[in-house]
Amino acid sequence: MKLLITGGAGFIGSNFIRYILKKYPARNASHSNAGGPDYHIINLDLLTYAGNPENLKDIESNPNYKFVHGDICDRKLVDSLMPEIDLIVHFAAESHVDRSILNSTDFIRTNIIGTHTLLESAKNNGLKRFHHISTDEVFGSLELNWPSFNEKTPYDPRSPYSASKAASDHLVRTYFHTFGLPITISNCSNNYGPYQFPEKFIPLIITNLLENKKIPLYGDGLNVRDWLYVEDHCAAIDLIIHNGRIGETYCIGGRSEKTNLEIAQKILKLMDRKNDQIEYVADRPGHDKRYSIDFSKIQEKLEWQPQTSFADGLQKTIEWYKNNPSWWKNIKSGEYQKYYAKQYGKNGL
Ligand code: NAD
Ligand code: TYD
């Protein structure tokens, strides 16, 4: 089975590649998967600011893994890879809401045009499955007493990021209905865990505290997110690509709603710091109040549910950032980009 993973040098993509290669190791090795499926992974990644080959250093030499440095908008390149591929798991995206507010051009390009390029290329290639990774943010914003999002919730994106992801979801569905492309889609809530770029809330808090800096809390700090440990997301994707029904969407969530203030306070406590490290700053424009996912469909149909409690996941995440200071210090200082610019050229860096 040949998998094309797009955006595999990012946070969730790199965790997913590691998850798959660990769960389905090479068939000829002497371990429990002997005789099981053999997965060959091609990781297509542009190495934007968010892509970091360090995330996959431990599997670089795995014979079942190959890295291709390139752009999902490059039709020629995508066409050249497609004949080898049985299955696509499409993670590549511009993923940070605040950046989309400052400049949305790359979001439109990668998230919409890039997805369209992959779909066009996949259309006539006898692909077994095109799995599109999306977000709960396409559903908009909930008030505190409103019911959670599910697969039937109407789309109501409110940031350039979520609008570009919503457009990509619509395109993916049209390629199923119009061209019979065997697609599945998953819309997941906020992930956290190892290798998350420290511009996102949880790793930003942890790394700021490790540097004795303040925690910037937007607005009143009472916006709510539904947090899922990244490995649980990977397990859900694994189930969907193997057992999910073609043409269907699955909502994935953590059943772990927390205000941003609660998150900050929990991390401060676990890291033995005081609440005066919190600094209230100006709110994000158009800041969505609350996200919450009802994941009963995937729970009933594919028997998935989160395995990692928020307390355990947070503890593991803090430990990982404590134990890997060079990973995030290189990112915060920009050093990783200089190194990889030398190796891969300036493109995308
Ligand atoms: P990330 O920003 O950490 O990684 C994105 C990756 O895509 C990077 O490696 C980057 O180099 C690559 N990339 C960007 N543009 C590219 C292009 N044009 N061609 C090839 N590669 C390109 O993102 P993430 O947090 O790992 O998110 C992955 C996917 O999951 C995204 O589609 C995102 O919308 C979705 N998602 C994320 C979350 C979350 O909490 N992080 C939650 C739900 C869904
Ligand atoms: P983020 O990690 O950017 O994810 P998203 O906006 O996609 O949900 O932010 C999570 C929440 O944390 C969101 O409500 C915004 C808030 N936030 C802060 O309060 N301060 C920060 O510095 C950041 C980056 C986010």
Side-chain angles (χ1 to χ4, degrees), residues 95-98 137 161 190 196 199-202 204 216-218 223-225 227 260 281 284 287-288 291:
S95 68
H96 192 44
V97 174
D98 292 331
E137 304 193 24
Y161 164 64
N190 287 62
Q196 186 166 31
E199 67 186 350
K200 301 277 167 58
F201 191 50
I202 288 183
L204 180 80
L217 207 50
Y218 295 165
N223 299 65
V224 174
R225 299 292 183 263
W227 292 95
N260 295 333
V281 298
R284 171 187 283 172
H287 195 172
D288 288 343
Y291 305 140

Side-chain angles (χ1 to χ4, degrees), residues 273-288:
R273 308 292 161 102
K274 297 210 170 66
N275 281 355
D276 63 6
Q277 293 281 99
I278 292 176
E279 182 175 37
Y280 286 91
V281 298
D283 207 356
R284 171 187 283 172
H287 195 172
D288 288 343

Side-chain angles (χ1 to χ4, degrees), residues 7-15 43 45 47 50-52 55-56 195-196:
F11 164 48
I12 307 175
S14 63
N15 275 284
N43 173 14
D45 198 296
L47 299 182
N52 184 353
N55 299 1
L56 291 162
Y195 299 101
Q196 186 166 31

Side-chain angles (χ1 to χ4, degrees), residues 151-171:
E151 291 77 7
K152 296 198 170 77
T153 304
Y155 277 41
D156 183 22
R158 293 155 40 105
S159 75
Y161 164 64
S162 53
S164 66
K165 291 298 290 187
S168 68
D169 292 11
H170 292 319
L171 278 170

